[in-house]
């Protein structure tokens, strides 16, 4: 089990604001790793740095043995790193099926695209029912499913999920988290950024807790879930 | 379509266009077309080229450009310049004069290609720096570009400066105008239907997500912009060499760009047939309203503005919305079978079960033009 993604003392600035302070983390192949923390802790900034939307001031980012600092997001897809962006970002005017096909934009092999579609529909049977519908007409939960399925269409080795449970009803959240288990079982490594710390820790192997731009805690998810600091700050248990 | 079928269609289109051109330019028996109507039809053709090409960048790719007149000016002046200063030399190699039927066509081809290349290169120069950024920078840069081009032209005496390019040789005719309009429609339609066009549609819907699935958004936007600009250049070259219709920097200001935008907004942003309809309507409308000026001078433009306002109030999504006009419209009541109409039923469903506390479901989709169908 080697490290698929390693961030080493990453520093990112928004102008004068020091958004990430020496963030180091490792995602091993086959794991689900979660990044939890409050609003503004630097979770999304970390993902933006990984996907090349922000250029770090210092530090190293290595994906599959190659330095990816400053590599544009669209070029990372070809290397096997795919992201389901925050707020879903489905293509509202395309149908569900077209959205999925666009997820395989870089895949030239028709059989692989067909297999990807089949995989998506097995993972999310709801999407199969809706395949001819415009994505903009889907419910929030269905759009989230579509965004995840679309990110999987390029058959990535590492899937980045940015706040997949944001704004969803509890029951739908459960479906989404159960799917993360299935994605892991199918062999895809996942880096999950979540505000819902409880569920995220339940469905991941290891976790990192971010606060004001730095990692304050890391460890096995089961241990983090019982850590007093985490329980107090993120799981709603006072003192 | 198979290659032979394509060839047959192309040949048939050319024959029809040449036939119509013969009637249009030289009459048929005793029939002579009224020169006033002829001019309106010619302007319709040029405006179709302008509107359909602008639709590629503004409608399909969702990047707001307000400098279409600038690209029209670049292509128009370069194309006309080529004919005026090099036309005779080029046609001389073939042993014909610029004003002959054959010579005029040769000069026209050179002029159109030159104008398209010049405008396309200008499109690259404007697009590369401004389309790297996400957001409304393109609108600001294209607005500035249009004005810069206008001021530059004003100060070049060899193309007429402020008096306009009156040395132009009138080699534009019905055939070239409509051949180019059809070519533009075919190019934009094929691009839209291709993988490239699908990528543009994803950029329009969500640029970050497009990036996240591996689409190089900058490259796609710049290419679409350059093609759009090149086609505007073609329209410019046609317009500048129309009989008694010299290019004039005063007419190629940003008001002209806005006029083209109105055409595509009126027709339905993103719809090619909508752009054709919008261009046709907005070219004819001011002429139809001309009668008002005989009663009260100036009333025409008031009526024109009023009609535009009314159309935008009652059909804010444009005459066709995002839909394309086609034969399926005649198969009533089967219109619900076409995919876009199908989603109209879905729209109402999407607005009802908005999960509370989900800002996207409340705001996210509502601002899509396509969803505001009433």
């Amino acid at each position: 089990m080697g490290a698929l993604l390693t961030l080493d003392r990453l520093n990112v600035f928004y102008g004068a604001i020091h958004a990430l302070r020496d963030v180091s983390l490792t995602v091993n192949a086959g794991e689900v790793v979660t990044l939890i923390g409050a609003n503004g802790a630097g979770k999304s900034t970390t993902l933006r740095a990984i996907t090349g939307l922000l250029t770090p001031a210092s530090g190293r980012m290595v994906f599959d043995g190659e330095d990816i600092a400053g590599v544009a997001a669209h070029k990372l897809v070809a290397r096997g790193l795919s992201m389901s962006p925050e707020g879903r970002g489905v293509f509202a005017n395309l149908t569900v099926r077209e959205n999925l096909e666009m997820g395989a934009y870089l895949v030239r092999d028709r059989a692989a695209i067909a297999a990807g579609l089949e995989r998506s529909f097995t993972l999310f049977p709801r999407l199969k029912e809706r395949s001819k519908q415009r994505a903009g007409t889907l419910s929030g939960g269905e759009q989230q499913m579509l965004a995840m399925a679309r990110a999987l269409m390029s058959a990535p080795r590492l899937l980045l999920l940015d706040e997949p449970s944001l704004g969803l009803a509890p029951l739908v959240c459960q479906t989404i988290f159960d799917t993360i288990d299935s994605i892991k079982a199918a062999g895809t490594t996942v880096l999950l950024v979540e505000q819902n710390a409880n569920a995220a820790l339940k469905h991941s192997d290891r976790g990192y807790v971010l606060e004001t731009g730095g990692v304050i805690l890391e460890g096995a998810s089961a241990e983090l879930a019982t850590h007093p600091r985490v329980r107090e700050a993120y799981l709603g248990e006072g003192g | 379509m198979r290659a032979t079928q394509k060839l047959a269609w192309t040949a048939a289109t050319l024959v029809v266009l040449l036939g119509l051109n013969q009637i249009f330019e030289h009459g048929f028996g005793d029939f002579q077309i009224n020169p006033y109507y002829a001019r309106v039809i010619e302007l319709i053709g040029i405006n179709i080229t302008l509107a359909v090409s602008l639709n590629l960048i503004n409608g399909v790719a969702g990047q707001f450009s307000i400098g279409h007149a600038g690209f029209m000016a670049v292509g128009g002046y370069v194309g006309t310049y080529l004919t005026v200063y090099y036309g005779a030399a080029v046609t001389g190699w073939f042993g014909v004069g610029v004003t002959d039927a054959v010579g005029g066509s040769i000069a026209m081809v050179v002029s159109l290609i030159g104008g398209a290349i010049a405008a396309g290169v200008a499109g690259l120069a404007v697009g590369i720096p401004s389309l790297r950024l996400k957001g409304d920078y393109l609108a600001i840069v294209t607005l500035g570009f249009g004005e810069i081009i206008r001021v530059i032209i004003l100060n070049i005496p060899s193309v007429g400066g402020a008096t306009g390019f009156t040395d132009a040789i009138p080699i534009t005719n019905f055939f070239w105008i409509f051949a180019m309009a059809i070519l533009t429609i075919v190019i934009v339609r094929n691009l839209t239907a291709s993988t490239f066009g699908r990528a543009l549609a994803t950029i329009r819907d969500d640029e970050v997500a497009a990036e996240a699935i591996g689409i190089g958004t900058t490259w796609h936007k710049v290419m679409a912009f350059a093609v759009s600009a090149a086609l505007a250049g073609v329209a410019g070259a046609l317009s500048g060499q129309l009989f008694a219709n010299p290019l004039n920097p005063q007419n190629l200001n940003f008001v002209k760009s806005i006029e083209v935008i109105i055409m595509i907004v009126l027709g339905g942003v993103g719809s090619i047939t909508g752009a054709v309809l919008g261009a046709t309507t907005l070219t004819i409308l001011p002429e139809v309203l001309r009668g008002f000026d005989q009663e009260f001078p100036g009333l025409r433009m008031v009526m024109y503005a009023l009609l535009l306002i009314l159309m935008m109030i009652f059909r804010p999504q444009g005459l066709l919305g995002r839909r394309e006009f086609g034969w399926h419209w005649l198969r009533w009541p089967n219109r619900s079978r076409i995919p876009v109409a199908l989603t109209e039923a879905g729209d109402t469903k999407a607005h009802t079960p908005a999960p509370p506390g989900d800002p996207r479901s409340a705001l996210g989709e509502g601002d899509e033009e396509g969803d505001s169908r009433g």
Side-chain angles (χ1 to χ4, degrees):
Chain A
M1 232 176 36
L4 190 55
L5 176 73
T6 314
L7 306 190
D8 187 19
R9 279 162 297 152
L10 206 62
N11 282 282
V12 171
F13 291 84
Y14 286 120
I17 300 163
H18 200 165
L20 287 188
R21 299 161 194 271
D22 286 332
V23 169
S24 299
L25 62 84
T26 308
V27 181
N28 295 316
E31 279 187 315
V32 174
V33 173
T34 186
L35 212 56
I36 56 175
N39 265 338
K43 305 188 298 289
S44 290
T45 308
T46 310
L47 281 196
R48 283 162 156 263
I50 295 171
T51 53
L53 293 173
L54 289 172
T55 311
S58 69
R60 267 163 57 80
M61 292 189 290
V62 178
F63 175 68
D64 199 25
E66 285 179 70
D67 198 329
I68 56 163
V71 175
H74 70 268
K75 292 194 174 139
L76 290 172
V77 182
R79 299 193 187 186
L81 191 153
S82 179
M83 177 170 78
S84 157
E86 185 182 354
R88 271 99 64 181
V90 298
F91 306 125
N93 290 303
L94 302 187
T95 67
V96 168
R97 199 193 166 88
E98 287 169 343
N99 264 272
L100 292 173
E101 284 168 354
M102 287 313 289
Y105 182 75
L106 298 178
V107 183
R108 286 283 167 265
D109 176 8
R110 280 173 190 277
I113 297 174
L117 279 173
E118 202 47 53
R119 213 166 46 231
S120 309
F121 291 147
T122 315
L123 209 52
F124 301 104
R126 185 74 72 85
L127 293 182
K128 187 166 192 172
E129 292 166 31
R130 301 256 188 264
S131 66
K132 290 197 175 93
Q133 208 169 308
R134 272 201 330 175
T137 68
L138 298 178
S139 74
E142 288 163 351
Q143 290 193 7
Q144 182 57 52
M145 292 174 194
L146 179 56
M148 288 169 69
R150 187 183 61 196
L152 286 169
M153 284 296 289
S154 61
R157 273 170 299 157
L158 176 61
L159 174 67
L160 305 182
L161 294 176
D162 197 357
E163 306 267 13
S165 78
L166 188 75
L168 298 184
L171 215 60
V172 184
C173 281
Q174 196 52 54
T175 315
I176 297 290
F177 283 112
D178 289 344
T179 313
I180 295 174
D181 293 346
S182 315
I183 292 170
K184 183 196 169 189
T188 306
T189 310
V190 177
L191 177 58
L192 167 67
V193 167
E194 256 301 330
Q195 290 209 20
N196 183 344
N198 206 3
L201 290 172
K202 216 177 277 175
H203 293 267
S204 57
D205 301 304
R206 291 188 304 113
Y208 292 85
V209 181
L210 282 179
E211 209 170 276
T212 56
V215 175
I216 56 158
L217 278 174
E218 59 173 285
S221 296
E223 284 165 31
L224 282 181
T226 56
H227 194 283
R229 178 103 191 246
V230 174
R231 296 197 72 78
E232 185 190 334
Y234 304 105
L235 302 177
E237 288 182 15
Chain B
M1 271 200 284
R2 287 195 314 271
T4 46
Q5 231 177 334
K6 274 187 193 168
L7 206 64
W9 271 105
T10 314
T13 312
L14 288 178
V15 168
V16 169
L17 279 179
L18 284 171
L20 286 174
N21 185 59
Q22 186 64 26
I23 299 171
F24 202 85
E25 305 288 336
H26 308 291
F28 185 72
D30 288 339
F31 173 78
Q32 282 289 341
I33 190 163
N34 178 326
Y36 167 60
Y37 293 152
R39 178 48 50 93
V40 173
I41 292 170
E42 285 162 348
L43 292 180
I44 287 174
I46 291 172
N47 282 337
I48 287 175
T49 305
L50 280 176
V52 172
S53 60
L54 183 66
N55 201 24
L56 179 64
I57 191 75
N58 280 34
V60 178
Q63 308 298 313
F64 200 67
S65 160
I66 34 181
H68 222 47
F71 296 111
M72 186 186 174
V74 171
Y77 272 91
V78 170
T80 311
Y81 187 90
L82 286 175
T83 311
V84 170
Y85 293 95
Y86 300 101
V90 172
T91 53
W93 296 338
F94 297 91
V96 282
V98 184
T99 46
D100 301 354
V102 177
S105 296
I106 294 168
M108 197 74 231
V109 170
V110 173
S111 162
L112 289 174
I113 293 175
I117 292 175
V121 169
L124 286 178
V126 173
I128 290 172
S130 52
L131 288 167
R132 291 166 61 89
L133 305 164
K134 295 173 180 63
D136 300 328
Y137 300 97
L138 185 67
I140 299 161
V141 174
T142 48
L143 179 69
F145 166 78
E147 291 306 294
I148 291 168
I149 288 299
R150 198 173 60 81
V151 173
I152 290 176
I153 291 169
L154 275 176
N155 290 291
I156 304 179
S158 62
V159 298
T163 46
F165 207 161
T166 46
D167 292 343
I169 302 165
I171 54 173
T172 302
N173 59 19
F174 178 90
F175 172 81
W176 286 110
I177 290 174
F178 283 90
M180 287 305 117
I182 291 170
L183 184 69
T184 303
I185 292 170
V186 170
I187 289 175
V188 173
R189 199 201 74 93
N190 287 356
L191 277 181
T192 310
S194 68
T195 314
F196 179 83
R198 198 49 79 66
L200 293 180
T202 68
I203 291 169
R204 174 191 68 207
D205 278 354
D206 194 313
E207 210 166 323
V208 175
E211 192 85 17
I213 57 172
I215 292 172
T217 52
T218 305
W219 187 85
H220 278 86
K221 287 190 289 183
V222 169
M223 281 304 128
F225 191 67
V227 170
S228 169
L231 292 172
V234 166
L238 289 169
S239 172
Q241 299 175 94
L242 203 53
F243 177 71
N245 187 47
L247 289 168
N248 190 313
Q250 267 79 8
N251 299 332
L252 291 167
N253 55 11
F254 91 104
V255 175
K256 177 69 188 173
S257 299
I258 300 288
E259 207 180 292
V260 187
I261 292 173
I262 295 174
M263 286 172 193
I264 60 172
V265 171
L266 183 87
V269 178
S271 163
I272 296 171
T273 40
V276 173
L277 189 65
T280 311
T281 313
L282 281 194
T283 316
I284 294 176
L285 195 59
E287 304 304 327
V288 172
L289 295 175
R290 221 168 259 284
F292 285 103
D293 265 3
Q294 287 161 5
E295 305 288 330
F296 298 101
L299 185 61
R300 179 170 75 108
M301 290 325 279
V302 175
M303 292 301 292
Y304 176 72
L306 192 69
L307 279 174
L308 283 185
I309 292 169
L310 286 176
M311 274 195 262
M312 282 299 105
I313 288 175
F314 290 106
R315 266 198 91 74
Q317 70 277 39
L319 293 172
L320 294 187
R322 273 199 191 287
R323 288 169 292 184
E324 293 293 351
F325 180 82
W327 296 118
H328 55 261
W329 280 46
L330 303 175
R331 255 182 282 133
W332 188 86
N334 291 354
R335 266 169 56 180
S336 58
R337 281 207 197 139
I338 69 162
V340 190
L342 184 136
T343 57
E344 278 185 282
D347 280 354
T348 46
K349 198 191 143 287
H351 290 298
T352 25
D358 180 355
R360 296 276 304 182
S361 54
L363 303 170
E365 320 308 338
D367 51 12
E368 299 286 340
E369 305 95 322
D371 284 352
S372 51
R373 297 191 187 100

